[in-house]
Amino acid sequence: MSKLDEAIAKMPRSLLVFLVLAGALAFIVSQNPLSDGCEVEITNFAREARGIITAYKTKKGRQFATLFYALEQCKEGNNQGSCEDYFKALKRVADATRVVSPKCYPKLKLEYENLTQVLATGVKVMALVAWGDKPPEGIGQRLGTLTEGDVYGFCRSKNGLVQLTSLEEYKSFRASVYREFPDRWPENLPLEKRAEIPRPRALQSVSNPTGTLKESDVYERSLFSLRCDLYQ
């Protein structure tokens, strides 16, 4: 009998059982690491997002992601009516993102690399549609033609974007949208001449000295100044 066999023979039975079970558990864990709980949440997200930002197979063929088609329709029409389907699809994605725990965001971003861009595009498009073709007269007109449901979608998309990136990245993104808000056309400019010059932009800056609004005014009149804590 070897020394190892002798040691095992002398070992109390309860200790031997414990060591065997511990070894088996260690092997199982090494082959199947313990779940951090994110798998279920990301699976739930996938179920809600299927057919909206991801395609899937059906018995009749392939169901393409509807969000991107709806976005093209929205851009072509450039108004609330043509964007209705897009806004609804975006809200579903934002709602699905909202139920994922912050600890799971890194895994969610790995699984859906375009999710941040999807939300950013949605926030930008909704802000531009609400603004319209000229600056809103004041804070009371900042919603434009958007419905309450649209506003919920905007706020949830914005909050999701902040959570998936950072507040600083969001502010930088918001500033880039400010630069796209259109200003009024000069009153003395004939309609046929508008196609010959760049569209005036509202934000006054070093690169756009003819803009008529300061950054604080752009913020106040835009959808970005909404108190989204009221639309949770």
Side-chain angles (χ1 to χ4, degrees):
M1 181 180 293
S2 67
K3 292 183 178 180
L4 178 59
D5 292 334
E6 290 178 3
I8 294 175
K10 294 178 180 179
M11 189 178 297
R13 184 174 180 80
S14 58
L15 178 58
L16 180 60
V17 171
F18 172 79
L19 291 176
V20 171
L21 291 177
L25 179 60
F27 176 77
I28 293 173
V29 170
S30 68
Q31 299 301 309
N32 300 284
L34 294 176
S35 171
D36 57 7
C38 292
E39 290 79 4
V40 173
E41 294 187 19
I42 293 177
T43 297
N44 290 338
F45 175 89
R47 182 175 61 250
E48 294 300 319
R50 193 178 77 154
I52 302 177
I53 62 173
T54 56
Y56 66 97
K57 293 181 179 180
T58 67
K59 292 181 179 179
K60 296 182 179 180
R62 187 173 179 82
Q63 172 63 54
F64 292 97
T66 58
L67 181 83
F68 306 107
Y69 172 76
L71 174 59
E72 292 305 312
Q73 297 297 108
C74 174
K75 288 180 177 179
E76 288 181 13
N78 194 32
N79 57 63
Q80 198 278 333
S82 64
C83 293
E84 184 176 356
D85 289 343
Y86 174 63
F87 291 166
K88 287 180 179 178
L90 180 67
K91 184 174 181 294
R92 283 191 61 184
V93 175
D95 286 344
T97 305
R98 197 163 164 257
V99 299
V100 177
S101 304
K103 69 173 184 178
C104 299
Y105 288 156
K107 284 191 175 183
L108 182 63
K109 290 175 68 174
L110 285 175
E111 291 282 340
Y112 297 89
E113 295 180 356
N114 67 336
L115 179 57
T116 300
Q117 186 59 47
V118 164
L119 295 176
T121 299
V123 169
K124 175 181 174 178
V125 169
M126 296 190 81
L128 289 171
V129 169
W131 182 275
D133 60 1
K134 60 182 183 298
E137 295 298 327
I139 194 171
Q141 289 74 46
R142 62 184 167 176
L143 299 185
T145 58
L146 298 187
T147 66
E148 185 176 12
D150 295 334
V151 174
Y152 272 96
F154 170 83
C155 284
R156 291 176 181 178
S157 297
K158 188 199 83 169
N159 291 342
L161 181 61
V162 173
Q163 292 288 339
L164 288 168
T165 55
S166 69
L167 184 58
E168 289 307 312
E169 288 179 275
Y170 167 73
K171 288 181 178 179
S172 177
F173 157 74
R174 183 179 66 186
S176 71
V177 180
Y178 285 171
R179 294 191 288 272
E180 296 196 33
F181 287 132
D183 207 346
R184 293 177 180 274
W185 287 101
E187 293 183 1
N188 59 350
L189 183 69
L191 289 175
E192 62 273 14
K193 294 292 184 180
R194 293 183 179 181
E196 300 176 7
I197 63 172
R199 177 65 193 252
R201 302 299 173 183
L203 179 64
Q204 187 181 78
S205 64
V206 174
S207 60
N208 186 43
T210 59
T212 57
L213 297 177
K214 297 180 179 179
E215 185 173 305
S216 58
D217 296 321
V218 170
Y219 170 77
E220 185 177 81
R221 300 188 193 197
S222 75
L223 214 55
F224 291 110
S225 63
L226 278 175
R227 281 192 56 191
C228 279
D229 58 307
L230 301 178
Y231 296 90
Q232 298 300 320

